[in-house]
């Protein structure tokens, strides 16, 4: 990958024409209001990209912690403001779903997916905290199809996120990104793959069926939607030149996009159907100069 400048980023724009503005001569100033991908019946707002790329407030959502510095003691009203579901690599699991703090998410064999139902309550839920949301929560998606995400009402009345129908959990003993201490515990707990199946090492990604044109996208300088490098956001339809061309290695998009290697949607092109974790695998790393949606 080419050397890339580290620049501050902001969220996606609300409805309107596609636009990117450069702040000064180097930094890319992105629109500040994220665009919901879709509003579901229980009033969750789904947004393309990571929490950081969408300017989620610090110390909220998956970043919220309590008096002991862990998410387990966080104010739940603050913690449930948003959740991130991102396809990533953790330990030997690739891909596996991680939250906004980079912590691995898991599924439980004693739960059911059709219909969705959790069998983990009481002491079980203390060791395996469920991923909870409430009306109005935002769900940031990167590498996870919106159609794979749902909710299930738990025995205590709270609302738990599901992926592929399977209720999602953290493991309390996982304390840092990359930890997978919950993998295989009791022969019933396994990392959660982006489609809801059990995560494995070197798992082949599913082919994404044709989708509607994307209304927004986040272009990441790093592969795997990395927040360790800059990103830039676009919203709207039509052809638009990218403010910082030739640096994109992964794309989070809520639908189909056509990527172009030259300005004004010319040169070599590639049609993507939603998120792409690593453009190098499709021979388009560091080539995106303009995009077309519509």
């Amino acid at each position: 990958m080419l050397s890339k400048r580290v620049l501050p980023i902001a969220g996606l724009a609300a409805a309107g024409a596609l636009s990117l503005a450069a702040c000064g001569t180097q930094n890319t100033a992105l629109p500040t209001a994220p665009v919901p991908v879709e509003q579901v019946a229980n009033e969750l707002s789904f947004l393309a990209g990571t929490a950081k790329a969408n300017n989620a407030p610090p110390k909220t959502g998956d970043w919220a912690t309590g008096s002991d510095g862990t998410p387990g003691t966080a104010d739940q009203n603050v913690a449930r403001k948003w959740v991130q579901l991102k396809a990533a690599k953790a330990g030997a699991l690739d891909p596996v779903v991680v939250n906004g703090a980079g912590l691995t998410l898991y599924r439980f064999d004693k739960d059911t997916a059709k219909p969705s139902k959790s069998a983990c309550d009481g002491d079980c839920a203390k060791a395996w905290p469920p991923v909870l949301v409430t009306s109005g929560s935002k769900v940031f998606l990167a590498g996870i199809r919106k159609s794979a995400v749902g909710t299930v009402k738990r025995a205590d009345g709270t609302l738990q996120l599901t992926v592929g129908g399977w209720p999602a959990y953290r493991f309390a003993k996982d304390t840092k990104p990359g930890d997978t201490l919950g993998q295989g515990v009791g022969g019933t707990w396994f990392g959660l793959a982006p489609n809801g199946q059990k995560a494995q090492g070197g798992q082949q990604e599913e082919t994404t069926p044709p989708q509607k044109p994307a209304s927004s996208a986040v272009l990441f300088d790093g592969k795997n939607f990395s927040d360790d490098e800059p990103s830039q956001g676009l919203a709207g339809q039509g052809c638009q030149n990218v403010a910082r061309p030739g640096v994109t290695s992964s794309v989070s998009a809520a639908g189909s996009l056509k990527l172009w290697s030259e300005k004004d949607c010319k040169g070599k092109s590639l049609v993507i159907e939603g998120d792409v974790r690593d453009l190098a695998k499709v021979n388009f790393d560091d080539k995106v100069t303009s995009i077309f949606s519509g």
Side-chain angles (χ1 to χ4, degrees):
M1 186 184 303
L2 299 177
S3 176
K4 302 169 185 177
R5 295 187 297 271
V6 178
L7 307 177
I9 59 176
L12 298 175
L18 267 161
S19 64
L20 283 174
C23 180
T25 59
Q26 298 292 330
N27 295 359
T28 299
L30 302 182
T32 57
V35 180
V37 174
E38 188 174 340
Q39 199 80 8
V40 295
N42 55 17
E43 296 183 355
L44 296 180
S45 294
F46 288 80
L47 301 101
T50 62
K52 183 177 179 180
N54 280 285
N55 271 354
K59 299 182 180 180
T60 64
D62 293 339
W63 300 331
T65 57
S67 56
D68 62 358
T70 71
T73 57
D75 181 335
Q76 288 303 297
N77 290 325
V78 175
R80 296 178 196 177
K81 286 183 178 296
W82 60 265
V83 170
Q84 176 182 292
L85 302 176
K86 185 177 89 167
K89 182 180 186 300
L93 305 180
D94 185 20
V96 67
V97 182
V98 302
N99 71 5
L103 297 176
T104 304
L105 300 186
Y106 297 89
R107 49 167 279 178
F108 185 32
D109 279 356
K110 294 184 180 181
D111 289 349
T112 59
K114 296 181 180 180
S116 298
K117 186 176 181 179
S118 171
C120 180
D121 296 298
D123 289 340
C124 175
K126 292 179 182 178
W128 301 89
V131 178
L132 300 177
V133 291
T134 189
S135 178
S137 295
K138 293 181 174 65
V139 182
F140 300 107
L141 301 177
I144 315 293
R145 298 182 197 172
K146 186 268 167 186
S147 60
V149 182
T151 58
V152 62
K153 192 172 184 180
R154 294 175 53 79
D156 62 3
T158 57
L159 203 61
Q160 183 174 6
L161 275 186
T162 63
V163 178
W166 290 95
Y169 304 83
R170 290 187 299 103
F171 184 41
K173 292 184 179 180
D174 284 350
T175 59
K176 64 183 183 300
D179 281 355
T180 56
L181 299 177
Q183 178 70 2
V185 170
T188 55
W189 289 94
F190 298 92
L192 184 62
N195 60 1
Q197 299 302 307
K198 297 175 184 179
Q200 303 172 19
Q203 193 169 345
Q204 186 174 3
E205 296 186 38
E206 293 183 309
T207 301
T208 304
Q211 300 184 41
K212 295 180 180 179
S215 60
S216 62
V218 180
L219 312 182
F220 293 86
D221 286 17
K223 66 180 182 179
N224 296 322
F225 323 110
S226 174
D227 283 328
D228 295 331
E229 299 184 58
S231 66
Q232 49 192 328
L234 302 100
Q237 295 188 338
C239 179
Q240 183 71 359
N241 293 329
V242 175
R244 296 186 300 109
V247 296
T248 299
S249 292
S250 57
V251 180
S252 179
S256 64
L257 285 176
K258 195 168 190 177
L259 311 178
W260 293 87
S261 63
E262 298 178 12
K263 291 182 178 181
D264 303 321
C265 295
K266 296 179 180 179
K268 295 181 179 179
S269 65
L270 173 70
V271 175
I272 62 172
E273 301 291 347
D275 298 344
V276 179
R277 293 176 63 203
D278 187 358
L279 285 173
K281 292 183 178 180
V282 290
N283 300 314
F284 224 79
D285 188 32
D286 292 336
K287 294 181 181 179
V288 179
T289 302
S290 57
I291 71 169
F292 182 88
S293 177

